[in-house]
Amino acid sequence: MGRAGKIARRTFLIGSAAIAGGVAFGVVAYKRPHPNPLLDDLKADEAAITPYVLIRPDGITLITPRADLGQGAYHVQAALLAEELDVDLASVTVDPGPPSPAYYNTALSADAAPFPATDKGTMAEATRAVLDAPMKFLGVQITGGSTTVPDSYEKLRHAGAMARETLKETAAQQTGTARADLRTENGAVILPDGTRLPYTDLARNAVQVDPIKGTPLRDPSDWQLLGQPMQRLDILAKSTGTQTYGIDMEMEGLIHAAVRTNPAMGGDMQGFDATEAETMRGVEKVVPITGGVGVLADNTWRAFQAVQAIEVDWGPAPYPAEQADHWQILSDSFTADAQDSQYKDEGDLDAALATANVIEAEYRAPYLAHAPLEPVNATVRVTDTRADVWTGTQIPRFVQDNVAAITGLDADQVHVHVLMMGGSFGHRLEDMVVRQATELAMAAKGRPVKLTYSREEDISHDFPRQIAMARGRGAVENGQVTACDLGIAMPSVIGSQMGRQGFPAAGPDLQIIAGAWDQPFAIPNYRVTGYRAEGLAPVSSWRSVGASSNGFFHDSFLDELIHAAGADPLEERLRLCSHAPSRKVLEAVGEMSNWGTPLGENQGRGVAYCLSFGVPCAEVIEVTETESGIRLDRAFVAAEVGRVLDPVNFENQVQGGLIWGIGHAMMGEITFAEGRTEQQNFDTYPFLRHDQCPEVIVRGLENSDGIRGVGEPPVPPAAPALANAIFAVTGKRLREMPFNKHVDFV
């Protein structure tokens, strides 16, 4: 039998998943599925009925293409497949699979359309569907934007159901028993007489069976895994210190490497003297790379020491050298020429403010580092015919293309092995470490080169969270908020990030206004305007992206207006809220925190709300003012995600998001002096300590259609909830992060 014939029978029509997800794009090419990448090296006794299920005689491998950054992505993807496939999660292997357009992200386009997530109208839905087409044609395989669950929810269950029914059909043809009389259980087809036919024994014949498509998905009431508390697949290894990350990579002939690039990011290198470094113990070679220089040595420490011994003449930064000038650029960007968008303009704001006692405020949010705990690293081996990359990445296909461009190889000669990551927070959406490791590996062809960033190299060259500034004007009347005009200035995160991948980002950047323009409040006169600030430091996606700063701006100003109106902070938000699921999260967090009941002496309570990545999320934080400073007592979070797939992981994700948000709001800041970041390591870039963390109580709500991820949405309301609580107890408004510039914390 020819290869083409075998592929035709094995190919999984992922187009069916797209249609199931609500996409009906009338282009044949769009509906045509990408080839199944698992078929490329398939042996005769193996079956890849879909791109997500690989069955070999010695076991079953579930392909989980969305990267695991510590958020449990591998586990939830495996559980979605296992729920329909009927396999024991403890018995399967999980693998992220190869980079492939078959694994393009079907949920990314949902938040790319210029419509609020609450808009389910025909135009909004049609635009979202159209935007999926370029994602598919380009095969955009990205992990980000809390899209792993919405991307996988139906797609992977359909894949599991298709594989299950195809294996049943295989057993039916093999035994002469009708498929309808067969059932499945724990990785086996069960005959009416109880005989078990393991999936692994059926693989050889399964490749000859046409995939069974269109099987209805199981009703949630029949789920055995989903919706139940689960032990994550990685929890044992992570609890025993046996989990393997990229930093653990070891292999025969490995060379260790360190780099040193211009501390003024993007500035050039005008020359260097490596005389001393070249004589240091363990150093094999000094290699110029783009924007700097690298050292190859026999271990990481010697590479670190040698690269610091190189005398380098650096060029100036391509952005303002001093921090004050960054703020000045933002301040100067509130102009018509710099206006990027104005998607919300309701009522007659100018008229409302013309006759009112206008309330005004200005807010600031600084640059922030990603600072994942695992040191950033990549291992690359290049030969004349192939390149191998071992690293943690959220963008494997971009990595593949960029390594191909550096080496001169074809993209299909570049093999990316995606590894478990010890944190990211958006960092692994960049691939500079891979590009540099590839340049170094080109100087040592045939040997694997492992590049590890020192903490100083990482923080000082991290493409940080955007700096941003907001200006609000508003009015109140008869105890109610009647007008809100919020302008936000920041650099374009998407423009900066995609520019490094060679993709122009045309049109307005929704991240400039995300978490502000799309809030479901029926304020009679309401406007949100985005201004694009140019000429600042390069930036990148940081957990919750634009909403990470805008959630603070929008809700803090709303809280100021509510206070000016003399209204209750929660009751006025509820009165203004025009979105039923959002009202329920506000009601839930009020109930959880006993909102309105008296607190103790010197205690305060703040509430905040933000809808981001389609998830309404409300938080209440309680604090106490002590002689030593503000102490965080308790926090309450209610989030609406449509369906909670794993209550344990959901709670952990939400708790982590809130802690991430308040920790950075309290003390996080990246500043520039002489073009360089002033923070280099965790001594100057601190984070929340265990004894500073409040108790965090979480509730997941399931009142809306569809399903959403929860990795990012708990972050935006955290800062304003804390700021509003501090105002409640001290009377002091915090309009600038980090808050420790203005108050002390215990």
Side-chain angles (χ1 to χ4, degrees):
M1 182 178 297
R3 177 71 174 162
K6 293 200 306 190
I7 289 174
R9 278 197 287 273
R10 294 170 173 172
T11 299
F12 170 42
L13 299 177
I14 62 170
S16 61
I19 292 170
V23 178
F25 193 77
V27 180
V28 173
Y30 172 71
K31 292 183 176 179
R32 185 180 304 133
H34 288 293
N36 182 346
L38 304 182
L39 300 177
D40 292 345
D41 301 311
L42 210 60
K43 297 177 182 175
D45 56 356
E46 299 174 346
I49 302 168
T50 88
Y52 301 96
V53 180
L54 177 61
I55 303 176
R56 297 187 173 108
D58 60 350
I60 298 170
T61 300
L62 303 182
I63 306 301
T64 54
R66 296 293 162 259
D68 200 314
L69 330 166
Q71 82 281 40
Y74 287 168
H75 177 85
V76 74
Q77 291 173 90
L80 286 162
L81 285 160
E83 185 63 66
E84 292 286 344
L85 185 57
D86 280 338
V87 292
D88 179 4
L89 276 177
S91 69
V92 302
T93 300
V94 174
D95 190 291
S100 170
Y103 302 125
Y104 90 100
N105 191 324
T106 57
L108 273 177
S109 59
D111 292 326
F115 296 91
T118 51
D119 188 345
K120 304 299 182 185
T122 302
M123 181 62 74
E125 292 295 83
T127 302
R128 293 180 183 117
V130 168
L131 288 175
D132 187 63
M135 298 290 181
K136 180 177 180 182
F137 289 135
L138 292 171
V140 179
Q141 185 181 351
I142 289 180
T143 302
S146 290
T147 56
T148 292
V149 166
D151 170 55
S152 307
Y153 182 60
E154 291 199 354
K155 184 194 299 183
L156 297 192
R157 287 188 297 142
H158 276 295
M162 177 179 288
R164 181 194 72 225
E165 292 304 308
T166 303
L167 289 162
K168 285 170 64 178
E169 179 62 23
T170 304
Q173 294 182 17
Q174 192 170 298
T175 64
T177 307
R179 178 158 59 95
D181 295 331
L182 302 176
R183 62 186 178 88
T184 54
E185 181 183 271
N186 285 340
V189 177
I190 312 299
L191 302 184
D193 65 359
T195 302
R196 296 174 60 86
L197 301 177
Y199 292 168
T200 49
D201 291 351
L202 295 169
R204 179 181 292 273
N205 292 332
V207 299
Q208 306 299 328
V209 176
D210 288 332
I212 305 299
K213 301 186 289 287
T215 302
L217 297 176
R218 288 171 173 161
D219 188 87
S221 61
D222 296 326
W223 285 351
Q224 301 296 310
L225 294 171
L226 303 176
Q228 308 298 319
M230 289 182 270
Q231 178 173 304
R232 270 172 46 172
L233 290 170
D234 56 343
I235 206 67
L236 179 61
K238 288 182 173 175
S239 300
T240 56
T242 56
Q243 177 67 57
T244 300
Y245 300 90
I247 196 65
D248 300 313
M249 280 297 298
E250 293 289 344
M251 59 182 67
E252 185 72 22
L254 185 71
I255 313 175
H256 296 269
V259 295
R260 196 169 158 207
T261 53
N262 194 327
M265 289 188 296
D268 61 4
M269 181 176 69
Q270 297 173 343
F272 71 93
D273 181 355
T275 303
E276 180 183 351
E278 288 171 337
T279 64
M280 293 176 71
R281 183 183 177 191
V283 172
E284 295 192 15
K285 187 180 290 187
V286 174
V287 182
I289 62 170
T290 302
V293 61
V295 167
L296 304 180
D298 60 356
N299 69 40
T300 302
W301 178 251
R302 288 171 183 160
F304 282 173
Q305 297 301 301
V307 84
Q308 291 303 318
I310 300 173
E311 295 182 7
V312 188
D313 183 13
W314 300 118
Y319 47 81
E322 304 302 324
Q323 184 62 37
D325 295 323
H326 292 242
W327 291 116
Q328 190 61 50
I329 286 178
L330 288 172
S331 181
D332 294 342
S333 297
F334 292 91
T335 67
D337 288 343
Q339 182 176 316
D340 190 67
S341 66
Q342 191 176 82
Y343 290 129
K344 180 182 282 293
D345 188 7
E346 298 167 355
D348 189 344
L349 190 75
D350 293 334
L353 295 180
T355 58
N357 183 19
V358 177
I359 300 156
E360 297 184 90
E362 180 178 287
Y363 300 87
R364 295 185 175 198
Y367 293 113
L368 291 172
H370 297 85
L373 198 56
E374 180 195 5
V376 175
N377 65 87
T379 301
V380 179
R381 179 173 57 205
V382 178
T383 70
D384 290 337
T385 57
R386 77 178 268 155
D388 287 272
V389 179
W390 295 268
T391 194
T393 179
Q394 298 170 244
I395 51 170
R397 296 202 70 224
F398 285 118
V399 166
Q400 191 177 39
D401 289 342
N402 289 329
V403 171
I406 294 170
T407 59
L409 297 168
D410 293 334
D412 59 9
Q413 293 175 291
V414 178
H415 302 267
V416 181
H417 312 276
V418 179
L419 305 176
M420 179 71 81
M421 286 163 254
S424 171
F425 318 111
H427 199 312
R428 308 305 182 105
L429 287 164
E430 303 285 345
D431 64 350
M432 195 58 68
V433 67
V434 177
R435 301 189 204 193
Q436 293 168 343
T438 303
E439 290 190 55
L440 294 168
M442 291 287 285
K445 274 195 169 182
R447 296 180 63 187
V449 173
K450 180 180 178 180
L451 171 60
T452 304
Y453 280 179
S454 65
R455 185 65 64 188
E456 289 77 10
E457 183 72 17
D458 177 25
I459 290 184
S460 61
H461 292 86
D462 181 25
F463 298 108
R465 196 278 300 269
Q466 74 280 350
I467 189 175
M469 181 182 290
R471 290 174 178 166
R473 299 185 304 153
V476 299
E477 186 176 350
N478 298 325
Q480 298 181 346
V481 176
T482 56
C484 177
D485 180 16
L486 190 68
I488 301 169
M490 69 169 67
S492 170
V493 175
I494 302 303
S496 183
Q497 190 167 9
M498 296 310 294
R500 288 187 287 278
Q501 295 297 342
F503 284 87
D509 182 353
L510 283 176
Q511 292 305 319
I512 293 177
I513 51 173
W517 79 286
D518 47 359
Q519 302 309 290
F521 291 113
I523 299 172
N525 306 286
Y526 196 7
R527 184 162 67 200
V528 176
T529 308
Y531 299 92
R532 184 179 298 224
E534 304 283 3
L536 293 163
V539 293
S540 188
S541 293
W542 186 92
R543 193 173 184 177
S544 72
V545 203
S548 68
S549 50
N550 297 341
F552 170 61
F553 298 156
H554 185 275
D555 194 273
S556 293
F557 187 55
L558 179 60
D559 202 74
E560 292 207 42
L561 295 177
I562 292 173
H563 178 74
D568 177 84
L570 179 59
E571 292 302 319
E572 181 66 356
R573 282 174 175 83
L574 279 166
R575 188 190 70 79
L576 291 169
C577 186
S578 57
H579 180 232
S582 295
R583 288 183 57 84
K584 290 186 181 299
V585 301
L586 284 164
E587 291 168 349
V589 84
E591 175 194 329
M592 294 163 66
S593 63
N594 290 317
W595 185 269
T597 58
L599 291 169
E601 187 177 359
N602 297 324
Q603 287 188 309
R605 186 187 277 143
V607 61
Y609 162 93
C610 185
L611 188 151
S612 63
F613 302 92
V615 175
C617 185
E619 299 177 2
V620 168
I621 293 180
E622 294 176 353
V623 301
T624 299
E625 185 180 31
T626 75
E627 292 183 355
S628 301
I630 299 295
R631 184 183 70 225
L632 280 62
D633 298 324
R634 296 194 298 173
F636 305 87
V637 187
E640 167 62 57
V641 293
R643 188 169 290 281
V644 177
L645 296 181
D646 180 352
V648 176
N649 201 40
F650 178 88
E651 181 181 37
N652 291 340
Q653 281 278 82
V654 172
Q655 289 174 329
L658 177 132
I659 291 169
W660 175 262
I662 58 176
H664 284 89
M666 290 164 61
M667 58 192 77
E669 181 178 36
I670 293 290
T671 55
F672 289 89
E674 298 181 348
R676 308 178 179 202
T677 60
E678 295 185 290
Q679 297 74 24
Q680 299 286 307
N681 208 322
F682 288 124
D683 59 332
T684 50
Y685 191 74
F687 193 68
L688 204 66
R689 302 292 179 131
H690 279 173
D691 61 1
Q692 293 178 296
C693 282
E695 179 187 7
V696 184
I697 298 97
V698 174
R699 183 182 297 178
L701 276 63
E702 300 177 312
N703 297 306
S704 59
D705 296 332
I707 189 168
R708 289 286 189 164
V710 77
E712 316 211 36
V715 177
L722 178 56
N724 296 339
I726 292 172
F727 172 73
V729 70
T730 67
K732 187 172 187 175
R733 279 288 176 195
L734 300 181
R735 301 190 178 100
E736 179 184 25
M737 297 187 282
F739 296 156
N740 64 4
K741 283 185 170 181
H742 307 282
V743 296
D744 293 327
F745 289 96
V746 174

